[in-house]
Amino acid sequence: MTQPPPPPPQQPPQGGGFGPPQDQPPQTPPPAAGPNLGKAPEPGYGYPQAPQAPQTPQAPQTPPPVAPQTPPTPPQGYGYPQGAPAPQPPQAPQAPQGPPGYGYPGQQPGAYGQPQQAPYGQPGYGQPGYGQQPGYGYPQQPTMPYQPQAGHPGGGKKLNAQMLIIVAAVVAIALIIGGGVWYASSGKDEGKQNDTAGQSGGTGGTDDDNGGTTSGKEKAPSDPSAKVLFQVPAPEVKNDSTVVVSGSWLTDKAYVKSGIAQIVGYDRDKGSELWKLPLSGPVCQASRHVTDDNLTAILYQPAMPTKADPSHGCSQIALIDLDAGKKLWTKTVKTGDQLINFDNITLSGKTVAVGSTSGGAAFDVSGKLLWSPKPTDSCYDAGYGGGEKLVAVRKCGSYDQRQLHIQTIDPKSGKVISEYKMTEGIEYASIVSTNPLVVAADVGDSAGDGSGISDFFSIDSKTGKLRTRISAPGEQFAARCEGITRVEACNLLAVGNDRLYLPTEEHDGTGKYSQTNEIVAFDLATGKQTGQRADAGDGYTISPLRMDGGNLIAYKRPPYDKGGQVVSIAGGSFKQTTLLQNPASESVRDVETSMSPEYSEFLYAEGHLYMSKVYASKRSTVREKEYLAVGFGTG
């Protein structure tokens, strides 16, 4: 399929904006275009739809097919609820609606909500044509292998509409009788066999009476009902430009958010300004990692954009003290006489690392240069993943024979500790987690949904050997990675307990008008699903935010008549405990749903949920007030 070229780096998508369309009910994105297999288009999840009578499969005129041992794509979408009514005829997969949240693997409260930078309702970095791989035909390893059907020699041809209806009915009966094929089990003791699994992110933990685990720091309040703590108005933008305001962090004292050419610290409860740090130009990228003493790093422009010069490049590297509200230093790196404009920035221990097509560089938090690009290098560090370890995505070879080297390196010296060479032809890769090391890629441009992910690679960071490869078909799972210039820009997932947690795509719920989804877990040693499943509930869409010891913190985007929730999911039993419940009033819900966790920054800690945008632009309408950030809190 012909796809449009990608937008240039650092340039946000044109048009659109945060929040639902102005002329539609909140939280009701337009349905995706695609073939209609006998069913009228449906509005977005959580919004009433016209009820439809169940379709009764017609008896085939030819001998019925043999029920497959491993069914094809199930009716009602991946993860169809057990014991649900008879399915409707199969439909073409729809684009995600009401995207879920972001998972920052294994981190404590900090900027674990680094977003996909695109307005809600607009394609993200993985939009068709943006950073897709060349036609690399690496054989896929689907999670559920497709079995040839009787009467269809070769098993590779698509079934016609009548046969799809028949197969759907057969699969539905198998699901009801067998108690579920797509997940190992759905009982109360689900997943307990792996309670003690874990590398980074803590162990599985011991389930307590409330369904949480003793290994997590986040505790459920006596009353999870939340209220709006404060709202930060959207900044004024001159002309018709769009300015990046990426970056948000949470400390013991402050909620810190980037504005237009500034960073501001706000009181966590009141939203009053504690300090303001002016910058010479807009922030380009911000590290989501924070040191133990609350230092973080940003990239920013040396001057404000103008009509004559809309961008001055992202050459300024700065270390920020989030407690004092001060810029400790600013550094630049040159190649010859030219300043290098960097694409990404991260932090690991006391090392700030930046990557670009000109190569990578690193500084100690003291400001000492640790390494910089060498003119004689035939390869270059396109970017780095930080956190517990420092991992480089190093590109070698020409464009048509590109090979990516995933290198775990010493953050002090840059010495390579281990290396995994990805198969030639994979142009981009994203670092999902550095410990355990997990890499995502869209192999052969096969994801098909703009997510930038077809497969995850679990790698032993000590030896550089591949532990396992996990197939994550785009029509089944909702996680996203950019990977083109920002190698850590992944969301809607989390890593902990030596497991990868992914949300499924939305599908019909058990209610007449509802859509829903689930979070499932993959073992990073075997690549197989563990059988654990956390259901969002009818009308909600659930997605990981981050790990909390052995527990998973997740956000539930609400239906049209309720408020959103933050829940803690026990690492062993997968039982859910509600940590925060937002108000259901229309005015509050409108503000909440204007911040899509897929394209915004979400931070949660200690009964506080903060949502913020990553772009500021001149408003094209004045019907509703827009906000840069909003804070919710319990108690």
Side-chain angles (χ1 to χ4, degrees), residues 17 42 68 80 82 140 144 226 272 313 351:
E42 298 178 353
Y80 182 63
Q82 307 305 315
Q140 299 301 300
M144 303 295 292
S272 54
T351 297

Side-chain angles (χ1 to χ4, degrees), residues 20-160:
Q22 298 300 321
D23 57 350
Q24 299 205 13
Q27 162 134 15
T28 311
N36 190 318
L37 301 181
K39 188 174 180 182
E42 298 178 353
Y45 79 97
Y47 188 79
Q49 307 170 28
Q52 302 182 31
Q55 300 295 318
T56 304
Q58 300 296 321
Q61 300 301 316
T62 56
V66 178
Q69 295 179 357
T70 304
T73 304
Q76 307 290 346
Y78 183 77
Y80 182 63
Q82 307 305 315
Q88 301 291 325
Q91 297 178 255
Q94 298 183 2
Q97 299 171 353
Y102 175 77
Y104 170 40
Q107 295 295 323
Q108 298 305 317
Y112 44 80
Q114 188 70 14
Q116 298 289 340
Q117 293 193 356
Y120 176 59
Q122 295 291 331
Y125 283 109
Q127 63 185 332
Y130 189 46
Q132 303 300 327
Q133 324 303 332
Y136 175 65
Y138 196 90
Q140 299 301 300
Q141 300 176 5
T143 305
M144 303 295 292
Y146 181 81
Q147 300 293 334
Q149 302 296 310
H152 293 268
K157 297 182 179 179
K158 293 183 178 180
L159 302 176
N160 60 31

Side-chain angles (χ1 to χ4, degrees), residues 104 107-113 248-251 288-290 546 602-605:
Y104 170 40
Q107 295 295 323
Q108 298 305 317
Y112 44 80
S248 61
W249 305 267
L250 195 57
T251 71
R288 65 193 188 201
H289 305 287
V290 178
R546 62 176 176 88
F602 274 49
L603 306 177
Y604 176 82

Side-chain angles (χ1 to χ4, degrees), residues 273-312:
E273 287 190 11
L274 301 178
W275 50 262
K276 182 183 294 184
L277 174 62
L279 300 171
S280 58
V283 172
C284 300
Q285 300 293 335
S287 173
R288 65 193 188 201
H289 305 287
V290 178
T291 66
D292 292 338
D293 51 352
N294 288 331
L295 305 181
T296 194
I298 63 169
L299 282 171
Y300 68 100
Q301 296 186 39
M304 290 298 294
T306 63
K307 284 187 176 181
D309 194 351
S311 176
H312 297 280

Side-chain angles (χ1 to χ4, degrees), residues 221 223-227 229 607 633-635:
D223 181 4
S225 298
K227 62 181 179 181
L229 298 176
T634 59

Side-chain angles (χ1 to χ4, degrees), residues 187-209:
K188 293 186 293 184
D189 296 327
E190 186 174 67
K192 291 236 177 179
Q193 68 273 19
N194 290 320
D195 274 39
T196 58
Q199 281 189 20
S200 174
T203 61
T206 302
D207 292 332
D208 61 27
D209 294 336

Side-chain angles (χ1 to χ4, degrees), residues 104 106-108 201-208 211-219 494-497 501 545-554 567-575 577 579:
Y104 170 40
Q107 295 295 323
Q108 298 305 317
T203 61
T206 302
D207 292 332
D208 61 27
T213 72
T214 55
S215 61
K217 293 182 179 180
E218 302 293 349
K219 304 302 179 183
V495 172
N497 303 322
Y501 299 100
L545 290 180
R546 62 176 176 88
M547 297 304 299
D548 173 35
N551 298 341
L552 176 65
I553 304 297
V567 297
S568 176
I569 302 172
S573 67
F574 249 46
K575 293 179 181 178
T577 301
L579 301 178

